[in-house]
Amino acid sequence: MILSNLGTVGAQFTHFGRTDDRVVATELAAYRPDLIVVAFGTNEAFRPGFSASSYEATLRSDLTRLRRLAPGVPMLLIGAPDSATKLPGLQTGESGTSVPCPAAGPWRPTAALASVQAVQRRQAQAFGIAYWDWAQRMGGRCVADGWTQGAAPLMRGDHVHFTSRGGAEIARLLQADLDAAMAQLVRPTVPAPSTPDR
């Protein structure tokens, strides 16, 4: 298996729109991918002035473009993971103020995180592509604080980035779910028992 990561630190999926069609098409033709994984959303959720309608339009446009440039290649959209901030300016946004997490002190998800996740889920369904709920597999809303605790934390103290151990755990969960999905696809069908002719 070969993994080609096209992401960069701080990137948002809207940056994909700045790439040239011919370059992307040439790269995809050379890679001949078996699966395209789209895993953005955290940086969008931390963007000041986030607009859900603008994000949805961008995601729809970029998924349409990706499908056009890589026809027939299956896609997996990975939802934004749970994360948190203690910056009041990010805890309030167009969708209101995020609800505090129990026992997390000043840390809470950004106001935009739930909107980002809802848009991703909706667009994955609209495009008929696979969706992996990263936040839910971590344990749901407000688990980021717990992932930062203990002698061997799974997330760094910023409540956004994962430690090596946390990254390995996420990889384990994703691989388990991919394996389960593949097993469903290739499960042999058992023919119904035949009845002898009388």
Side-chain angles (χ1 to χ4, degrees):
M1 179 197 313
I2 298 173
L3 173 66
S4 177
N5 179 9
L6 301 180
T8 56
V9 174
Q12 298 177 34
F13 198 33
T14 189
H15 297 155
F16 176 62
R18 300 175 188 169
T19 57
D20 182 88
D21 270 10
R22 290 169 301 172
V23 173
V24 174
T26 300
E27 289 174 341
L28 288 168
Y31 289 137
R32 293 181 296 132
D34 295 311
L35 177 67
I36 294 175
V37 179
V38 177
F40 290 88
T42 298
N43 291 326
E44 285 84 349
F46 276 78
R47 181 179 180 181
F50 170 82
S51 162
S53 59
S54 176
Y55 174 62
E56 186 145 21
T58 297
L59 182 60
R60 187 183 310 115
S61 172
D62 287 339
L63 289 175
T64 299
R65 181 174 177 236
L66 201 49
R67 178 166 275 173
R68 177 174 51 81
L69 295 174
V73 178
M75 285 191 275
L76 168 63
L77 179 58
I78 295 183
D82 189 55
S83 58
T85 181
K86 56 183 180 180
L87 298 175
L90 292 175
Q91 294 174 347
T92 302
E94 70 168 25
S95 54
T97 301
S98 64
V99 178
C101 296
W107 295 95
R108 63 173 72 173
T110 66
L113 182 59
S115 295
V116 166
Q117 293 163 333
V119 165
Q120 291 173 326
R121 196 175 296 109
R122 193 162 48 242
Q123 287 306 308
Q125 185 174 18
F127 277 82
I129 61 178
Y131 176 78
W132 191 67
D133 194 333
W134 186 344
Q136 195 58 44
R137 286 300 273 137
M138 288 174 67
R141 185 182 182 279
C142 288
V143 299
D145 192 62
W147 278 50
T148 67
Q149 306 300 317
L154 300 173
M155 289 184 85
R156 300 188 186 283
D158 63 5
H159 290 62
V160 175
H161 298 96
F162 294 85
T163 63
S164 295
R165 185 168 173 264
E169 175 61 10
I170 291 300
R172 184 190 68 75
L173 294 171
L174 176 58
Q175 186 64 61
D177 289 347
L178 289 173
D179 290 344
M182 288 301 296
Q184 290 271 339
L185 288 174
V186 298
R187 179 178 290 156
T189 56
V190 178
S194 59
T195 54
D197 293 332
R198 295 185 184 243

mmCIF file of all heavy atoms in Angstrom, residues 76-103:
data_model
loop_
_atom_site.group_PDB
_atom_site.id
_atom_site.type_symbol
_atom_site.label_atom_id
_atom_site.label_comp_id
_atom_site.label_asym_id
_atom_site.label_seq_id
_atom_site.Cartn_x
_atom_site.Cartn_y
_atom_site.Cartn_z
ATOM 1 N N LEU A 76 -13.668 8.830 0.356
ATOM 2 C CA LEU A 76 -14.039 8.736 1.770
ATOM 3 C C LEU A 76 -13.886 10.123 2.369
ATOM 4 O O LEU A 76 -12.806 10.705 2.315
ATOM 5 C CB LEU A 76 -13.122 7.742 2.499
ATOM 6 C CG LEU A 76 -13.197 7.730 4.031
ATOM 7 C CD1 LEU A 76 -14.577 7.318 4.519
ATOM 8 C CD2 LEU A 76 -12.119 6.794 4.599
ATOM 9 N N LEU A 77 -14.975 10.649 2.902
ATOM 10 C CA LEU A 77 -14.940 11.945 3.576
ATOM 11 C C LEU A 77 -14.865 11.685 5.074
ATOM 12 O O LEU A 77 -15.738 11.031 5.642
ATOM 13 C CB LEU A 77 -16.192 12.762 3.229
ATOM 14 C CG LEU A 77 -16.330 14.136 3.876
ATOM 15 C CD1 LEU A 77 -15.144 15.036 3.532
ATOM 16 C CD2 LEU A 77 -17.624 14.798 3.449
ATOM 17 N N ILE A 78 -13.798 12.163 5.690
ATOM 18 C CA ILE A 78 -13.609 11.980 7.129
ATOM 19 C C ILE A 78 -14.061 13.246 7.839
ATOM 20 O O ILE A 78 -13.574 14.338 7.554
ATOM 21 C CB ILE A 78 -12.138 11.653 7.462
ATOM 22 C CG1 ILE A 78 -11.766 10.292 6.850
ATOM 23 C CG2 ILE A 78 -11.912 11.656 8.962
ATOM 24 C CD1 ILE A 78 -10.370 9.820 7.169
ATOM 25 N N GLY A 79 -15.008 13.091 8.754
ATOM 26 C CA GLY A 79 -15.531 14.227 9.500
ATOM 27 C C GLY A 79 -14.490 14.799 10.445
ATOM 28 O O GLY A 79 -13.569 14.110 10.877
ATOM 29 N N ALA A 80 -14.653 16.061 10.780
ATOM 30 C CA ALA A 80 -13.710 16.731 11.684
ATOM 31 C C ALA A 80 -13.746 16.062 13.064
ATOM 32 O O ALA A 80 -14.814 15.752 13.584
ATOM 33 C CB ALA A 80 -14.067 18.204 11.815
ATOM 34 N N PRO A 81 -12.576 15.845 13.670
ATOM 35 C CA PRO A 81 -12.525 15.223 14.997
ATOM 36 C C PRO A 81 -12.989 16.187 16.084
ATOM 37 O O PRO A 81 -13.109 17.391 15.852
ATOM 38 C CB PRO A 81 -11.039 14.892 15.172
ATOM 39 C CG PRO A 81 -10.333 15.944 14.364
ATOM 40 C CD PRO A 81 -11.233 16.183 13.168
ATOM 41 N N ASP A 82 -13.222 15.638 17.267
ATOM 42 C CA ASP A 82 -13.521 16.508 18.399
ATOM 43 C C ASP A 82 -12.272 17.313 18.729
ATOM 44 O O ASP A 82 -11.140 16.821 18.613
ATOM 45 C CB ASP A 82 -13.956 15.686 19.616
ATOM 46 C CG ASP A 82 -14.490 16.568 20.727
ATOM 47 O OD1 ASP A 82 -15.416 17.357 20.458
ATOM 48 O OD2 ASP A 82 -13.971 16.507 21.856
ATOM 49 N N SER A 83 -12.470 18.552 19.113
ATOM 50 C CA SER A 83 -11.379 19.442 19.495
ATOM 51 C C SER A 83 -11.981 20.503 20.407
ATOM 52 O O SER A 83 -13.196 20.532 20.608
ATOM 53 C CB SER A 83 -10.733 20.082 18.261
ATOM 54 O OG SER A 83 -11.703 20.793 17.512
ATOM 55 N N ALA A 84 -11.137 21.346 20.959
ATOM 56 C CA ALA A 84 -11.643 22.372 21.876
ATOM 57 C C ALA A 84 -10.741 23.596 21.853
ATOM 58 O O ALA A 84 -9.591 23.545 21.414
ATOM 59 C CB ALA A 84 -11.739 21.808 23.292
ATOM 60 N N THR A 85 -11.299 24.685 22.338
ATOM 61 C CA THR A 85 -10.559 25.937 22.450
ATOM 62 C C THR A 85 -10.965 26.632 23.749
ATOM 63 O O THR A 85 -12.051 26.386 24.269
ATOM 64 C CB THR A 85 -10.854 26.877 21.256
ATOM 65 O OG1 THR A 85 -10.086 28.069 21.404
ATOM 66 C CG2 THR A 85 -12.322 27.249 21.184
ATOM 67 N N LYS A 86 -10.088 27.480 24.258
ATOM 68 C CA LYS A 86 -10.495 28.311 25.392
ATOM 69 C C LYS A 86 -10.546 29.780 24.995
ATOM 70 O O LYS A 86 -10.665 30.646 25.850
ATOM 71 C CB LYS A 86 -9.584 28.084 26.604
ATOM 72 C CG LYS A 86 -8.122 28.290 26.403
ATOM 73 C CD LYS A 86 -7.385 27.954 27.695
ATOM 74 C CE LYS A 86 -5.888 28.138 27.534
ATOM 75 N NZ LYS A 86 -5.167 27.824 28.776
ATOM 76 N N LEU A 87 -10.512 30.046 23.694
ATOM 77 C CA LEU A 87 -10.624 31.412 23.188
ATOM 78 C C LEU A 87 -12.097 31.797 23.055
ATOM 79 O O LEU A 87 -12.813 31.214 22.225
ATOM 80 C CB LEU A 87 -9.929 31.543 21.827
ATOM 81 C CG LEU A 87 -8.421 31.271 21.809
ATOM 82 C CD1 LEU A 87 -7.896 31.318 20.385
ATOM 83 C CD2 LEU A 87 -7.690 32.274 22.692
ATOM 84 N N PRO A 88 -12.572 32.744 23.841
ATOM 85 C CA PRO A 88 -13.989 33.119 23.787
ATOM 86 C C PRO A 88 -14.459 33.514 22.388
ATOM 87 O O PRO A 88 -15.594 33.244 22.009
ATOM 88 C CB PRO A 88 -14.087 34.294 24.759
ATOM 89 C CG PRO A 88 -12.935 34.118 25.691
ATOM 90 C CD PRO A 88 -11.839 33.505 24.859
ATOM 91 N N GLY A 89 -13.585 34.136 21.604
ATOM 92 C CA GLY A 89 -13.961 34.565 20.263
ATOM 93 C C GLY A 89 -14.298 33.426 19.329
ATOM 94 O O GLY A 89 -15.021 33.620 18.345
ATOM 95 N N LEU A 90 -13.772 32.230 19.598
ATOM 96 C CA LEU A 90 -14.078 31.062 18.774
ATOM 97 C C LEU A 90 -15.201 30.218 19.367
ATOM 98 O O LEU A 90 -15.738 29.338 18.708
ATOM 99 C CB LEU A 90 -12.825 30.193 18.589
ATOM 100 C CG LEU A 90 -11.714 30.807 17.750
ATOM 101 C CD1 LEU A 90 -10.481 29.913 17.737
ATOM 102 C CD2 LEU A 90 -12.194 31.061 16.313
ATOM 103 N N GLN A 91 -15.541 30.483 20.624
ATOM 104 C CA GLN A 91 -16.619 29.734 21.264
ATOM 105 C C GLN A 91 -17.985 30.313 20.921
ATOM 106 O O GLN A 91 -19.016 29.725 21.233
ATOM 107 C CB GLN A 91 -16.418 29.728 22.785
ATOM 108 C CG GLN A 91 -15.179 28.952 23.212
ATOM 109 C CD GLN A 91 -14.890 29.070 24.696
ATOM 110 O OE1 GLN A 91 -15.456 29.901 25.394
ATOM 111 N NE2 GLN A 91 -13.984 28.226 25.182
ATOM 112 N N THR A 92 -17.986 31.475 20.255
ATOM 113 C CA THR A 92 -19.216 32.133 19.828
ATOM 114 C C THR A 92 -19.109 32.420 18.338
ATOM 115 O O THR A 92 -18.060 32.814 17.852
ATOM 116 C CB THR A 92 -19.411 33.456 20.594
ATOM 117 O OG1 THR A 92 -19.442 33.172 21.987
ATOM 118 C CG2 THR A 92 -20.703 34.134 20.201
ATOM 119 N N GLY A 93 -20.200 32.164 17.623
ATOM 120 C CA GLY A 93 -20.180 32.400 16.182
ATOM 121 C C GLY A 93 -21.579 32.518 15.637
ATOM 122 O O GLY A 93 -22.541 32.723 16.383
ATOM 123 N N GLU A 94 -21.726 32.341 14.303
ATOM 124 C CA GLU A 94 -23.030 32.514 13.660
ATOM 125 C C GLU A 94 -24.078 31.544 14.183
ATOM 126 O O GLU A 94 -25.272 31.808 14.129
ATOM 127 C CB GLU A 94 -22.917 32.398 12.139
ATOM 128 C CG GLU A 94 -22.621 30.999 11.647
ATOM 129 C CD GLU A 94 -22.810 30.841 10.143
ATOM 130 O OE1 GLU A 94 -22.702 31.841 9.407
ATOM 131 O OE2 GLU A 94 -23.053 29.717 9.713
ATOM 132 N N SER A 95 -23.626 30.383 14.682
ATOM 133 C CA SER A 95 -24.573 29.391 15.185
ATOM 134 C C SER A 95 -24.787 29.511 16.691
ATOM 135 O O SER A 95 -25.360 28.626 17.316
ATOM 136 C CB SER A 95 -24.094 27.985 14.827
ATOM 137 O OG SER A 95 -22.777 27.777 15.287
ATOM 138 N N GLY A 96 -24.324 30.599 17.287
ATOM 139 C CA GLY A 96 -24.516 30.813 18.714
ATOM 140 C C GLY A 96 -23.248 30.550 19.498
ATOM 141 O O GLY A 96 -22.139 30.624 18.968
ATOM 142 N N THR A 97 -23.416 30.226 20.753
ATOM 143 C CA THR A 97 -22.291 29.949 21.645
ATOM 144 C C THR A 97 -22.249 28.463 21.945
ATOM 145 O O THR A 97 -23.278 27.859 22.245
ATOM 146 C CB THR A 97 -22.444 30.744 22.957
ATOM 147 O OG1 THR A 97 -22.490 32.144 22.634
ATOM 148 C CG2 THR A 97 -21.273 30.491 23.893
ATOM 149 N N SER A 98 -21.061 27.875 21.858
ATOM 150 C CA SER A 98 -20.957 26.441 22.115
ATOM 151 C C SER A 98 -21.215 26.149 23.593
ATOM 152 O O SER A 98 -20.924 26.962 24.463
ATOM 153 C CB SER A 98 -19.580 25.910 21.690
ATOM 154 O OG SER A 98 -18.558 26.493 22.462
ATOM 155 N N VAL A 99 -21.762 24.987 23.832
ATOM 156 C CA VAL A 99 -22.100 24.564 25.190
ATOM 157 C C VAL A 99 -20.834 24.101 25.896
ATOM 158 O O VAL A 99 -20.028 23.365 25.312
ATOM 159 C CB VAL A 99 -23.138 23.422 25.147
ATOM 160 C CG1 VAL A 99 -23.484 22.926 26.534
ATOM 161 C CG2 VAL A 99 -24.382 23.883 24.400
ATOM 162 N N PRO A 100 -20.621 24.523 27.146
ATOM 163 C CA PRO A 100 -19.424 24.086 27.868
ATOM 164 C C PRO A 100 -19.388 22.567 28.025
ATOM 165 O O PRO A 100 -20.421 21.905 28.036
ATOM 166 C CB PRO A 100 -19.560 24.761 29.238
ATOM 167 C CG PRO A 100 -20.530 25.864 29.041
ATOM 168 C CD PRO A 100 -21.443 25.432 27.936
ATOM 169 N N CYS A 101 -18.185 22.041 28.131
ATOM 170 C CA CYS A 101 -18.007 20.611 28.381
ATOM 171 C C CYS A 101 -17.946 20.377 29.888
ATOM 172 O O CYS A 101 -17.307 21.143 30.605
ATOM 173 C CB CYS A 101 -16.711 20.114 27.743
ATOM 174 S SG CYS A 101 -16.702 20.252 25.949
ATOM 175 N N PRO A 102 -18.580 19.320 30.371
ATOM 176 C CA PRO A 102 -18.503 19.031 31.804
ATOM 177 C C PRO A 102 -17.053 18.822 32.222
ATOM 178 O O PRO A 102 -16.311 18.099 31.568
ATOM 179 C CB PRO A 102 -19.307 17.737 31.961
ATOM 180 C CG PRO A 102 -20.129 17.624 30.723
ATOM 181 C CD PRO A 102 -19.377 18.344 29.652
ATOM 182 N N ALA A 103 -16.654 19.450 33.290
ATOM 183 C CA ALA A 103 -15.331 19.252 33.903
ATOM 184 C C ALA A 103 -14.164 19.604 32.994
ATOM 185 O O ALA A 103 -13.059 19.144 33.212
ATOM 186 C CB ALA A 103 -15.185 17.808 34.387
#
